């Protein structure tokens, strides 16, 4: 009876709230990854402008196919080649800038996830997050009760570290089906 009051007092909503925090971090991570993939595919106005200039120069060069206009066509092709080099340099520089900014956001997300997980572990250490009947988790009872401290007859108390691991696995599975 005393153990049940302990669970009700200190961690009434701890298990669902912890699960939703873990799911939120997984969704943010997936959203950032998808945004990174979509963001790198977007063409900027300068890139589109350079592509149209290159196409225009190459069209003009192919239109000048007479022997008398060979020098002018060669000049247009060289100009198109320099524009292609400029475009490649711009695309490379732009993709590096985008990847750097997304990497920064990813690192901030990972650091905040670690801090929140550590806070949860310190806050709920030696406190059961949930209580499950022993028959439901027969071979894994000791593993799930790691870090809780006490035991109740007929029940297994789930600790914070096994709960975080389980929540992470379940949230990764759930996030596979979420589309942004």
């Amino acid at each position: 009876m005393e153990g049940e009051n302990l669970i009700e007092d200190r961690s009434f909503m701890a298990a669902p709230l912890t699960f939703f925090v873990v799911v939120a971090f997984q969704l943010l991570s997936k959203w950032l990854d998808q945004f990174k993939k979509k963001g790198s595919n977007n063409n900027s106005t300068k890139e589109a402008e350079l592509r149209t200039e290159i196409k225009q120069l190459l069209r003009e060069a192919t239109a000048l196919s007479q022997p008398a206009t060979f020098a002018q066509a060669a000049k247009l092709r060289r100009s198109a080649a320099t524009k292609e080099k400029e475009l490649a340099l711009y695309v490379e520089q732009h993709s590096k800038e985008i990847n750097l900014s997304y990497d920064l956001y990813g690192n901030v997300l990972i650091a905040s996830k670690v801090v929140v997980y550590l806070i949860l572990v310190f806050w709920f250490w030696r406190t059961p997050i949930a209580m499950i009947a022993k028959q439901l988790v027969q071979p894994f009872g000791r593993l799930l009760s790691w870090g809780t401290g006490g035991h109740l007859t007929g029940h297994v108390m789930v600790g914070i570290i096994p709960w975080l691991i389980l929540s992470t696995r379940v949230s990764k599975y759930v996030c596979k089906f979420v589309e942004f």
Side-chain angles (χ1 to χ4, degrees):
M1 202 59 155
E2 182 180 317
E4 291 177 11
N5 289 338
L6 175 72
I7 290 175
E8 289 177 11
D9 291 345
R10 292 194 63 191
S11 61
F12 172 63
M13 293 293 291
L17 289 177
T18 305
F19 177 73
F20 288 125
V21 166
V22 171
V23 168
F25 276 122
Q26 291 298 330
L27 288 174
L28 281 172
S29 178
K30 183 177 179 178
W31 177 75
L32 187 63
D33 288 342
Q34 286 184 349
F35 198 67
K36 183 178 179 180
K37 289 176 186 175
K38 288 179 185 176
S40 63
N41 293 336
N42 291 342
N43 291 341
S44 67
T45 56
K46 183 177 180 182
E47 186 178 342
E49 202 174 279
L50 284 172
R51 289 186 192 280
T52 56
E53 284 182 29
I54 292 168
K55 286 180 184 178
Q56 182 63 28
L57 288 172
L58 290 175
R59 273 192 221 121
E60 290 176 12
T62 54
L64 301 173
S65 60
Q66 302 297 326
T69 59
F70 175 75
Q72 190 177 3
K75 184 178 176 183
L76 288 173
R77 284 190 188 98
R78 283 193 303 271
S79 178
T82 57
K83 293 279 185 187
E84 285 176 351
K85 287 179 184 177
E86 182 182 343
L87 175 66
L89 183 67
Y90 174 76
V91 167
E92 180 182 343
Q93 182 183 11
H94 188 66
S95 66
K96 280 183 182 178
E97 289 174 2
I98 288 175
N99 285 338
L100 243 136
S101 66
Y102 286 125
D103 289 344
L104 175 69
Y105 291 138
N107 290 340
V108 167
L109 182 67
I110 289 172
S112 61
K113 186 189 298 188
V114 167
V115 168
V116 168
Y117 282 14
L118 284 175
I119 289 170
L120 287 171
V121 166
F122 287 132
W123 190 10
F124 290 111
W125 188 253
R126 295 274 185 211
T127 304
I129 295 294
M131 189 167 56
I132 303 173
K134 200 172 199 172
Q135 296 86 6
L136 295 176
V137 289
Q138 185 61 36
F140 303 108
R142 283 189 77 159
L143 183 66
L144 288 175
S145 65
W146 182 60
T148 58
H151 299 284
L152 290 176
T153 29
H155 291 88
V156 173
M157 294 186 287
V158 180
I160 185 65
I161 293 176
W163 183 255
L164 284 174
I165 293 169
L166 183 67
S167 296
T168 302
R169 297 303 302 164
V170 169
S171 66
K172 283 182 180 181
Y173 181 74
V174 167
C175 286
K176 286 181 183 179
F177 300 110
V178 175
E179 291 294 325
F180 291 107

